[in-house]
Amino acid sequence: MAESASSLNDTTQHLARALHSLFHGESPEERRAADKWLQRLQRESAGWNVADSILQGTALPADASLDDPATQEALFFGAQTLHIKICYDFQELTPEMVTALRGMVQQYIERWGLQPGKTVPRNILKKLASAVAVFALQTNWQDVLGYIESLMGRATGDSLGLVCRVVLELMQALPEQRRRRRIAVSPEVRDQFHSYLCSVASRCLGMLEQIARAAPPTMAEVHKQVLVTLQGWISNCNINPEALATHALFLSTFDALANDATARGDGRVAGLE
């Protein structure tokens, strides 16, 4: 992951031009050339440092804002690159780098997902959550749910919506990434991580119930994502759906969605019709 400061600076300057050409190029040839260069960068070892410089904010303008499309494009590329590197190039890292990376992936999602007064676009948040989840798979992180529970502890007052979004994306990503067969991880580690997820499934249900109770009916998107996340854990851990039918999680979530439909006056549950 080591790279000289001047080399990294040259790369980030070229990166800004390539991203602009990819999304705003005037010709198909310009966009294809930019895409080819960006994909090559993601495959190179320099991709680790590029992703870090973007997600740490050092490769962004000093006045970068989540409202700026150029910032959003750069952040998505950084999150996508990080996810790709952890999926396919994890063997490039030394044990010391792996240890450092655990703290870094947490820092990235907290920096951009929990920024007061700002809502990061979901495609960026989802990639960051996927990067955390695939890191957990690669390292068989046996307390990743404990980390997510610690984030849930921050869900108070004005931060409730932001925290719920981050927590739900992380919880949804864990079984999704575990099932992805193209990730370069041994079958033994994949099976061990699957066993871990199944062992904490009851804690997952408890956290989803906590979110469903804490989020008011007006947060219909949160309640819908609770159900989507639950579906992933049911299929991953073979949770008995009959036992869930009377679970407080189901009842509180459907009540909230029904209240939202009533408030809108159309009698339909948003996203489920």
Side-chain angles (χ1 to χ4, degrees):
M1 294 174 68
E3 187 176 7
S4 69
S6 60
S7 177
L8 181 59
N9 185 56
D10 291 343
T11 300
T12 53
Q13 289 182 8
H14 193 169
L15 171 64
R17 293 193 296 270
L19 287 171
H20 184 271
S21 295
L22 177 66
F23 292 104
H24 310 287
E26 296 182 358
S27 69
E29 292 77 14
E30 181 183 356
R31 292 191 291 272
R32 280 195 296 269
D35 185 48
K36 184 177 180 180
W37 185 86
L38 290 167
Q39 289 190 41
R40 185 171 65 248
L41 178 62
Q42 289 177 323
R43 293 191 297 268
E44 295 174 351
S45 60
W48 292 107
N49 287 322
V50 170
D52 178 63
S53 65
I54 293 172
L55 298 173
Q56 292 279 12
T58 57
L60 301 176
D63 58 349
S65 168
L66 278 175
D67 299 324
D68 181 10
T71 299
Q72 295 175 12
E73 292 158 6
L75 286 174
F76 180 77
F77 179 79
Q80 181 188 57
T81 301
L82 178 68
H83 182 242
I84 288 171
K85 299 301 287 183
I86 298 176
C87 281
Y88 307 119
D89 298 320
F90 202 69
Q91 75 286 348
E92 294 178 350
L93 303 180
T94 66
E96 294 76 17
M97 291 174 178
V98 171
T99 299
L101 186 59
R102 176 185 292 193
M104 291 160 68
V105 295
Q106 295 174 51
Q107 180 184 350
Y108 300 148
I109 197 165
E110 292 173 33
R111 175 189 174 98
W112 299 108
L114 300 179
Q115 193 171 124
K118 297 290 184 179
T119 301
V120 68
R122 191 179 177 198
N123 64 335
I124 298 171
L125 183 59
K126 192 171 184 66
K127 275 298 177 190
L128 290 172
S130 295
V132 175
V134 78
F135 175 88
L137 170 62
Q138 289 279 17
T139 60
N140 192 21
W141 185 1
Q142 291 287 296
D143 195 31
V144 63
L145 197 67
Y147 164 63
I148 299 173
E149 287 170 334
S150 73
L151 291 179
M152 194 61 207
R154 305 186 194 180
T156 57
D158 293 340
S159 69
L160 176 64
L162 290 176
V163 172
C164 286
R165 286 184 81 231
V166 171
V167 166
L168 286 170
E169 288 294 351
L170 286 167
M171 293 178 69
Q172 186 175 337
L174 290 173
E176 284 180 350
Q177 297 302 305
R178 201 281 304 175
R179 288 194 299 266
R180 288 191 65 197
R181 291 298 170 185
R182 294 182 61 190
I183 296 173
V185 64
S186 71
E188 293 78 16
V189 171
R190 189 184 297 274
D191 290 344
Q192 289 169 9
F193 192 64
H194 183 211
S195 297
Y196 165 72
L197 292 182
C198 292
S199 74
V200 298
S202 61
R203 286 166 59 191
C204 168
L205 293 183
M207 200 175 345
L208 290 176
E209 181 182 352
Q210 181 184 354
I211 293 172
R213 288 183 180 277
T218 51
M219 290 186 179
E221 289 298 323
V222 168
H223 290 282
K224 284 186 288 183
Q225 195 169 355
V226 165
L227 292 179
V228 172
T229 303
L230 176 61
Q231 182 181 22
W233 280 78
I234 290 173
S235 60
N236 181 77
C237 297
N238 297 318
I239 300 173
N240 185 350
E242 293 181 0
L244 288 169
T246 56
H247 195 284
L249 168 61
F250 251 52
L251 299 177
S252 58
T253 302
F254 275 112
D255 281 348
L257 289 172
N259 289 338
D260 175 67
T262 301
R264 288 185 291 108
D266 58 13
R268 296 175 297 151
V269 176
L272 299 180
E273 56 265 39

